[in-house]
């Protein structure tokens, strides 16, 4: 080891606190990168594994191919398998020959070839999978529901046909899934098939009770053709597109989750793949903040080492050797910081993924494919850690580059004479007399000290300003994300049950007597869609005269761009309470005309600016074609948002919603929709949703309710909460870690800058400055540092936050979170004070004469 390396090591040991803080800063940045990358690869890998079990083994899909096109695909050497599924919905209904109720005996069948059966069955099963025409696989639960004792090898007879309903225009609509009391069954034929397999809850064919095989040579007119590639890697998406192009076909869909698990992306990759650009942005922020932190550390280190670098230069040290001193220091810090960061990052990723993964699995938000998994396993190949190391090395190299160049330019005479201590002309030290009047002599000294410290003071100021800007900007982004995130929808009920309006009173009485019902209320949620979503030429959208942007306040002009307005019915007593709370007249809403009130809040925030102005009052929400559509509603007033009122949680946020009283709405709904189609919904809060759901289904069937349906939303609500938990964990976890890096930066810079002024402080004491004056001077100096940094950081953060908001949504209202800014201002002064107190705890122990004897810069 040469003399320069030895001196560098000794220098690091002499400045242990700064060295430790710098290592921790490097470790924090590395840990954040590690956690992010390990988390991404683990989630992607898990979703790929579950996708195989949930959706079956397929990579790309085409629709309605001919027999010749199928033959071409099967001959393509890039394709491992080609599977065909019948897409005709008119032959997917089955009716079992059993003595059970219709809701049990009616089910659905999917028709597919043998290759599709192999790719789509991922569950455990008894027997062998069907491979020829006349063979079927059947779900065990479907047999149990119909009290049928069937085993593999037995034959079974059933009616094949279609389940359907009629919409208000009399159009036949084919259906599947849960039974509806208004549905009908149209028989096509009676079938007798051989049962070759009993399935135990097969996720890829969820919603179908039977899998019926057809001949390999048969090509249904309406079909879905899925293919599997021989080689699944990061080039898979490009290969799929190449296959489609070569055969003059159009890919209708891709198995996105499975492709993403091997990091194969294309323009259609959405959902989970959206984390990649967000991850790159986060990585850029981490690198930027880390560069500033480490650069400051090396800058302070260079100031401390100027003396001995000059001495080395005087005895023949070259520019390369002087640069090498800084690079060697960077190497030593990286040697400890990077492994520590990877270790901390892995531990952080392990616990984060374990906790979030368990919550996701327990909430059943991941449907199928999770058997045997208690949580999401950590999965990161060696290349991930190599990538982390490379990024960390690049970050440290960039940070040390400028100080290394400056070190190479240190001249022997300047360094030996310490002429760089003060390079401030006297006229620049002139101050406003007001400073001395307000802060006294100590305040004048504090101001001059900042001027005299030159680059050191600039580094401290910029360090604080960057940390403030970074934190406020990221927090603003998190706030905007929460406002715009429509998925944060915490509905208050767990069960919903619908029936004909004529059965409403009977249903209310029955629910009132049920002990498992904690609370229930009438509530229906409708959408007025001002566009032809299904491209149905017979569909007449609502009259869009109400979508006048003049009715919207500044910052909300984009709201009507969605061309959707929501209508929500609520109980009369709750509507009356709402009217009274907003100073409106009840009699206006319980008369001959159907009137409602519009919620004057878009993001569901109590401090939010009003969305609508009075211009919308008196406007009508209606269809030109009344029959078969929702009744017309006049907006009679505007109401404010109340955080604790349950009615504001019945409809997702980021909606324009109009509330109407139930007693006024349903009679008019019967007039426009007809008695056979007009339904009423009761939302139910309960502590036992599964039991109550089964009881209500049985009651609806037994007691002769009309047009009924019932659903359990408890699992969906739980899954939604987990999604929000994941999003907030990622956002605020990232913010917390980046903030810690910024804090390390501030503490390190202030602490080192203060320690380097030991000789200066000793001189103040030598001329009679007492402890009180000394503390006052430093306190005022910290105050001035904070003010300078905040004057720079706060306007910059406001500007960046504004640009970020407008980039995300050019018409979104920009709001400054005043409490957040006040909190940051307070914390900045606390941190500056704490950092100075930490450094002064060492300076106070100095002997004046001994320090003045030291020949330091």
């Amino acid at each position: 080891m040469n003399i320069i390396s030895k001196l560098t090591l000794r220098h690091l040991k002499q400045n242990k606190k700064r060295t430790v803080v710098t290592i921790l800063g490097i470790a924090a940045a590395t840990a954040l990168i590690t956690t992010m990358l390990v988390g991404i690869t683990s989630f992607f890998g898990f979703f790929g594994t579950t996708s195989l079990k949930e959706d079956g083994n397929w990579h790309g899909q085409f629709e309605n191919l001919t027999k010749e096109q199928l033959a071409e695909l099967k001959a393509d050497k890039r394709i491992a398998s080609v599977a065909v599924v019948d897409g005709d919905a008119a032959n997917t209904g089955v009716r079992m020959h059993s003595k059970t109720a219709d809701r049990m005996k009616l089910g659905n069948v999917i028709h597919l070839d043998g290759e599709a059966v192999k790719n789509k069955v991922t569950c455990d099963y008894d027997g062998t999978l069907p491979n020829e025409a006349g063979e079927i696989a059947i779900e065990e639960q479907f047999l149990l529901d119909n009290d049928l004792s069937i085993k593999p090898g037995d034959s079974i007879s059933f009616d094949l046909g279609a389940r359907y309903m009629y919409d208000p225009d009399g159009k036949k609509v084919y259906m599947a899934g849960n039974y509806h009391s208004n549905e009908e069954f149209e028989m096509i034929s009676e079938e007798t098939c051989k049962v070759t397999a009993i399935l135990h809850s097969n996720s890829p064919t969820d919603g179908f009770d039977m899998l019926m095989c057809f001949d390999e040579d048969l090509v249904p007119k309406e079909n879905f053709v899925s293919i599997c590639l021989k080689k699944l890697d990061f080039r898979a998406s490009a290969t799929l597109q190449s296959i489609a192009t070569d055969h003059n076909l159009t890919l209708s869909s891709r198995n996105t989750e499975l492709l993403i698990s091997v990091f194969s992306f294309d323009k259609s990759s959405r959902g989970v793949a959206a984390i990649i650009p967000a991850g790159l942005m986060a990585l850029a922020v981490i690198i930027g903040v880390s560069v500033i932190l480490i650069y400051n550390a090396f800058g302070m280190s260079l100031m401390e080492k100027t003396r001995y670098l000059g001495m080395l230069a005087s005895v023949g040290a070259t520019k390369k050797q002087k640069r090498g001193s800084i690079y060697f220091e960077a190497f030593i810090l990286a040697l400890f910081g990077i492994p520590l960061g990877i270790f901390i990052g892995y531990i952080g990723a392990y616990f984060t993924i374990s906790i979030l993964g368990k919550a996701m699995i327990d909430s059943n938000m991941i449907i199928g494919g999770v058997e045997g998994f208690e949580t999401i396993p950590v999965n990161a190949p060696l290349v991930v850690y190599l990538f982390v190391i490379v990024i960390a090395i690049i970050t440290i190299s960039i940070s040390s580059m400028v100080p290394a160049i400056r070190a190479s330019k240190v001249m022997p005479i300047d360094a030996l004479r310490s002429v760089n201590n003060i390079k401030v002309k006297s006229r620049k030290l002139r101050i406003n007399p007001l400073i001395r009047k307000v802060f006294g002599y100590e305040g004048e000294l504090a101001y001059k000290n900042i001027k005299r410290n030159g680059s050191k003071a600039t580094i401290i100021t910029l360090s604080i300003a960057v940390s403030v800007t970074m934190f406020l900007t990221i927090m603003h982004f998190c706030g905007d994300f929460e406002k715009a995130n429509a998925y944060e929808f915490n509905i208050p009920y767990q069960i919903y049950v619908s029936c004909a309006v004529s059965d409403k009173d009977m249903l209310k009485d029955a629910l009132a007597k049920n002990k498992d019902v904690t609370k229930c209320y009438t509530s229906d949620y409708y959408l007025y869609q001002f566009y032809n979503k299904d491209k149905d030429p017979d569909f007449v959208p609502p009259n869009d005269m109400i979508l006048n942007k003049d009715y919207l306040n500044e910052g909300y002009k984009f709201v009507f761009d969605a061309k959707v307005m929501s209508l929500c019915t609520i109980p009369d007593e709750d509507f009356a309470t709402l009217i009274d709370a907003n100073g409106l007249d009840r009699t206006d809403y319980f008369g001959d005309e159907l009137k409602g009130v519009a919620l004057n809040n878009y993001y569901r925030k109590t401090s939010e600016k009003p969305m609508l102005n009075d211009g919308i009052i008196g406007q009508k929400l209606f269809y030109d074609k009344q029959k078969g559509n929702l009744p017309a509603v006049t907006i009679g007033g505007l109401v404010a948002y109340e955080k604790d009122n349950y009615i504001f949680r019945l409809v997702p946020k980021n909606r324009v919603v109009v509330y109407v009283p139930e007693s006024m709405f349903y009679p008019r709904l019967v007039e426009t929709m007809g008695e056979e189609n007009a339904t009423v919904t009761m939302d139910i809060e309960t502590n036992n949703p599964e039991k109550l759901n089964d009881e209500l289904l049985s009651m609806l069937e037994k007691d002769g309710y009309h047009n009924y349906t019932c659903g359990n939303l408890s699992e969906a609500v739980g899954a939604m909460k987990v999604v929000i938990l994941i999003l907030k964990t990622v956002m605020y976890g990232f913010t917390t870690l980046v903030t810690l890096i910024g804090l390390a930066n501030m503490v390190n810079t202030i602490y080192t800058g203060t320690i380097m002024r030991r000789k200066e402080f000793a001189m103040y004491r030598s001329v009679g400055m007492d402890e009180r004056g000394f503390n006052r001077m430093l306190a005022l100096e910290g105050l001035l540092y904070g003010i300078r940094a905040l004057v720079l950081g706060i306007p910059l953060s406001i500007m960046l936050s504004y640009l970020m908001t407008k980039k995300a949504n050019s018409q979104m209202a920009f709001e400054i979170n005043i409490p957040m800014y006040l909190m940051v201002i307070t914390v900045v002064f606390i941190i500056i004070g704490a950092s100075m107190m930490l450094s002064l705890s060492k300076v106070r122990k100095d002997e004046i004469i001994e320090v003045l004897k030291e020949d330091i810069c």
Side-chain angles (χ1 to χ4, degrees):
M1 183 179 294
N2 59 36
I3 185 63
I4 293 180
S5 299
K6 289 181 179 179
L7 287 172
T8 301
L9 286 176
R10 188 172 70 177
H11 175 73
L12 289 172
K13 291 178 181 178
Q14 288 175 345
N15 297 274
K16 291 179 182 177
K17 289 185 179 179
R18 182 179 58 78
T19 301
V20 169
V21 171
T22 305
I23 289 175
L24 291 178
I26 294 172
T30 307
L32 193 49
I33 297 171
T34 303
T35 301
M36 183 176 66
L37 294 179
V38 171
I40 290 174
T41 55
S42 296
F43 274 100
F44 281 6
F46 179 74
F47 288 141
T49 301
T50 56
S51 176
L52 285 172
K53 294 183 178 180
E54 180 184 349
D55 300 325
N57 185 23
W58 66 281
H59 303 158
Q61 183 172 277
F62 305 94
E63 293 183 15
N64 301 328
L65 301 190
T66 64
K67 192 171 184 178
E68 292 74 19
Q69 290 170 326
L70 273 176
E72 288 181 18
L73 290 178
K74 290 179 180 180
D76 194 311
K77 294 182 179 180
R78 295 167 291 183
I79 299 175
S81 67
V82 180
V84 184
V85 177
D86 191 347
D88 186 4
N91 65 351
T92 58
V94 294
R95 182 172 58 194
M96 302 304 295
H97 297 167
S98 65
K99 297 180 180 180
T100 57
D102 281 348
R103 68 185 180 91
M104 298 295 186
K105 67 174 64 174
L106 288 174
N108 289 91
V109 60
I110 182 172
H111 302 270
L112 62 180
D113 66 5
E115 194 66 38
V117 172
K118 288 190 292 184
N119 289 345
K120 284 189 171 293
V121 175
T122 62
C123 68
D124 294 332
Y125 58 88
D126 302 325
T128 58
L129 295 178
N131 192 46
E132 299 177 357
E135 296 180 344
I136 65 168
I138 190 167
E139 285 285 354
E140 180 183 36
Q141 188 60 50
F142 192 51
L143 294 173
L144 295 174
D145 289 343
N146 284 278
D147 295 330
L148 296 174
S149 179
I150 300 289
K151 60 183 183 297
D154 292 348
S155 295
I156 188 172
S157 297
F158 55 89
D159 296 333
L160 178 66
R163 295 170 57 191
Y164 65 93
M165 293 176 59
Y166 289 102
D167 65 14
D169 292 328
K171 184 179 178 181
K172 185 184 289 186
V173 179
Y174 295 108
M175 60 177 296
N178 292 337
Y179 172 77
H180 197 285
S181 62
N182 264 23
E183 73 174 87
E184 298 182 30
F185 183 82
E186 180 180 5
M187 180 177 169
I188 298 175
S189 63
E190 181 178 349
E191 300 287 337
T192 300
C193 296
K194 179 182 178 181
V195 178
T196 64
I198 307 295
L199 307 178
H200 304 295
S201 300
N202 188 50
S203 294
T205 55
D206 184 43
F208 292 96
D209 307 290
M210 290 183 182
L211 280 66
M212 191 171 182
C213 199
F214 56 72
D215 285 331
E216 184 177 352
D217 294 334
L218 176 64
V219 180
K221 184 177 180 181
E222 296 181 35
N223 59 66
F224 298 100
V225 177
S226 59
I227 62 172
C228 291
L229 301 176
K230 287 184 178 179
K231 192 172 183 179
L232 184 64
D233 56 20
F234 69 93
R235 294 182 292 264
S237 290
T239 303
L240 286 172
Q241 187 56 53
S242 176
I243 290 172
T245 303
D246 292 347
H247 297 285
N248 197 25
L249 301 174
T250 301
L251 274 169
S252 59
S253 61
R254 295 170 172 83
N255 192 339
T256 305
E257 283 74 17
L258 185 58
L259 295 175
I260 287 176
S261 70
V262 294
F263 289 86
S264 181
F265 305 100
D266 66 356
K267 293 180 180 179
S268 66
S269 298
R270 298 175 181 174
V272 179
I275 198 172
I276 296 299
L280 292 175
M281 290 180 61
L283 187 62
V285 171
I286 296 168
I287 293 174
V289 174
S290 303
V291 165
I292 294 171
L293 164 65
I294 303 167
Y295 170 80
N296 286 347
F298 287 131
M300 289 294 182
S301 175
L302 176 61
M303 291 179 186
E304 292 174 334
K305 295 194 298 184
T306 301
R307 174 84 177 180
Y308 87 76
L309 285 173
M311 292 176 63
L312 291 172
S314 70
V315 295
T318 64
K319 289 186 176 183
K320 182 179 179 181
Q321 288 173 322
K322 287 181 285 184
R323 282 198 304 270
S325 172
I326 300 296
Y327 288 136
F328 182 72
E329 182 175 339
F331 171 76
I332 296 299
L333 294 173
L335 197 61
F336 289 93
I338 293 176
L340 178 62
I342 291 176
F343 174 74
I344 295 172
Y346 178 85
I347 297 299
Y350 175 81
F351 284 105
T352 302
I353 293 170
S354 296
I355 294 170
L356 294 180
K358 189 175 189 308
M360 291 169 66
I361 292 173
D362 289 346
S363 70
N364 293 321
M365 67 175 292
I366 304 175
I367 304 172
V370 296
E371 295 81 5
F373 289 102
E374 292 184 3
T375 186
I376 295 175
V378 175
N379 174 35
L382 179 61
V383 67
V384 171
Y385 299 106
L386 293 176
F387 183 72
V388 171
I389 293 172
V390 169
I391 292 296
I393 290 174
I394 291 173
T395 301
I396 296 171
S397 300
I398 294 172
S399 306
S400 60
M401 189 177 299
V402 173
I405 294 172
R406 288 173 56 196
S408 69
K409 296 179 180 179
V410 172
M411 300 301 293
I413 295 177
D414 289 343
L416 290 172
R417 292 179 178 176
S418 302
V419 295
N420 285 326
N421 274 354
I422 300 174
K423 280 190 176 181
V424 183
K425 294 182 180 179
S426 59
R427 58 186 174 83
K428 289 189 176 181
L429 291 178
R430 294 174 184 171
I431 64 170
N432 192 322
L434 186 63
I435 292 179
R436 183 159 189 169
K437 289 182 180 180
V438 175
F439 298 107
Y441 176 68
E442 293 85 357
E444 183 177 347
L445 279 178
Y447 180 82
K448 287 185 176 181
N449 286 339
I450 293 176
K451 289 284 188 180
R452 291 173 63 252
N453 281 321
S455 59
K456 298 176 187 177
T458 301
I459 289 175
I460 292 174
T461 302
L462 291 178
S463 175
I464 300 170
V466 167
S467 299
V468 168
T469 302
M470 173 200 65
F471 178 79
L472 288 173
T473 304
I474 293 177
M475 289 302 294
H476 180 83
F477 169 79
C478 293
D480 273 0
F481 180 84
E482 282 195 24
K483 286 198 303 183
N485 178 24
Y487 293 103
E488 193 167 4
F489 176 36
N490 186 20
I491 58 176
Y493 57 91
Q494 295 78 40
I495 300 287
Y496 70 91
V497 56
S498 297
C499 66
V501 172
S502 57
D503 297 329
K504 179 178 69 170
D505 294 335
M506 181 169 62
L507 178 60
K508 281 187 174 182
D509 291 340
L511 293 176
K513 296 174 184 177
N514 194 306
K515 295 180 180 179
D516 287 323
V517 176
T518 304
K519 182 180 179 181
C520 66
Y521 31 83
T522 309
S523 176
D524 271 295
Y525 170 42
Y526 299 100
L527 288 178
Y528 285 80
Q529 298 179 347
F530 297 86
Y531 57 92
N532 190 350
K533 184 176 181 181
D534 298 323
K535 298 181 180 179
D536 182 353
D538 298 327
F539 174 75
V540 179
N543 193 296
D544 62 1
M545 290 173 56
I546 197 171
L547 301 183
N548 188 336
K549 293 190 177 183
D550 291 340
Y551 304 150
L552 298 168
N553 291 326
E554 197 62 37
Y556 296 97
K557 298 296 185 180
F558 64 93
V559 168
F560 286 155
D561 291 344
K563 295 190 175 182
V564 173
M565 291 185 73
S566 305
L567 181 73
C568 184
T569 66
I570 56 176
D572 288 1
E573 57 272 21
D574 293 323
F575 186 86
T577 302
L578 180 65
I579 292 299
D580 294 342
N582 287 273
L584 301 175
D585 189 352
R586 290 191 187 187
T587 58
D588 289 343
Y589 299 90
F590 293 92
D592 296 332
E593 184 181 11
L594 178 59
K595 281 189 174 184
V597 291
L599 175 60
N600 204 3
N601 191 289
Y602 189 70
Y603 299 112
R604 307 297 192 270
K605 296 284 185 180
T606 51
S607 60
E608 185 184 329
K609 298 176 182 177
M611 170 181 61
L612 300 163
N613 58 52
D614 291 343
I616 201 170
I617 297 176
Q619 301 300 318
K620 281 193 174 184
L621 188 60
F622 67 98
Y623 285 86
D624 291 325
K625 178 186 175 183
Q626 282 288 291
K627 185 178 179 182
N629 287 309
L630 297 171
V633 180
T634 301
I635 297 178
L638 305 176
V639 295
Y641 172 72
E642 300 171 32
K643 182 179 179 181
D644 298 324
N645 194 335
Y646 84 94
I647 67 171
F648 297 124
R649 290 190 286 140
L650 297 173
V651 179
K653 65 181 184 179
N654 303 359
R655 302 284 193 280
V656 180
V657 56
V658 177
Y659 293 95
V660 294
E662 62 167 300
S663 65
M664 301 299 298
F665 176 77
Y666 290 111
R668 289 165 176 79
L669 182 67
V670 173
E671 292 175 5
T672 60
M673 299 287 288
E675 290 188 4
E676 67 281 1
N677 293 307
T679 61
V680 61
T681 302
M682 296 293 295
D683 296 334
I684 304 166
E685 297 179 24
T686 178
N687 295 321
N688 199 345
E690 292 185 6
K691 177 187 173 186
L692 182 59
N693 186 63
D694 292 339
E695 289 179 358
L696 292 177
L697 278 171
S698 178
M699 178 196 75
L700 292 167
E701 180 183 350
K702 176 183 174 184
D703 295 346
Y705 285 84
H706 302 89
N707 207 1
Y708 67 80
T709 186
C710 183
N712 181 1
L713 296 179
S714 58
E715 288 187 355
V717 171
M720 196 178 299
K721 290 181 178 179
V722 172
V723 171
I724 299 304
L725 173 64
I726 293 172
L727 292 174
K728 289 190 173 181
T729 300
V730 171
M731 285 193 308
Y732 291 109
F734 173 79
T735 303
T736 301
L737 291 175
V738 173
T739 301
L740 289 176
I741 297 174
L743 289 177
N745 185 14
M746 290 172 59
V747 173
N748 187 24
T749 308
I750 295 171
Y751 172 80
T752 305
T754 307
I755 290 296
M756 289 174 63
R757 297 168 59 195
R758 293 171 62 194
K759 190 171 183 178
E760 177 188 329
F761 295 154
M763 291 177 65
Y764 285 134
R765 285 196 174 101
S766 70
V767 294
M769 180 177 284
D770 59 15
E771 194 68 23
R772 181 175 177 276
F774 183 72
N775 290 338
R776 179 178 171 83
M777 178 191 72
L778 289 179
L780 293 173
E781 195 171 320
L783 178 66
L784 291 173
Y785 273 128
I787 292 174
R788 281 159 55 103
L790 291 171
V791 166
L792 178 63
I794 288 180
L796 183 59
S797 67
I798 292 175
M799 182 186 72
L800 291 176
S801 299
Y802 176 81
L803 293 175
M804 189 179 294
T805 298
K806 294 306 175 184
K807 182 68 176 176
N809 188 330
S810 60
Q811 293 180 312
M812 181 185 289
F814 174 71
E815 296 179 359
I816 297 176
N817 189 340
I818 300 298
M820 177 65 69
Y821 277 74
L822 294 176
M823 183 200 74
V824 167
I825 292 171
T826 304
V827 170
V828 163
F829 288 118
I830 291 174
I831 291 173
I832 292 174
S835 301
M836 285 193 161
M837 291 298 294
L838 178 66
S839 54
L840 287 177
S841 64
K842 183 175 181 179
V843 174
R844 282 198 179 97
K845 300 175 184 179
D846 291 340
E847 293 290 338
I848 295 175
I849 296 177
E850 294 300 323
V851 173
L852 291 176
K853 284 182 180 179
E854 292 180 6
D855 198 9
I856 63 174
C857 309

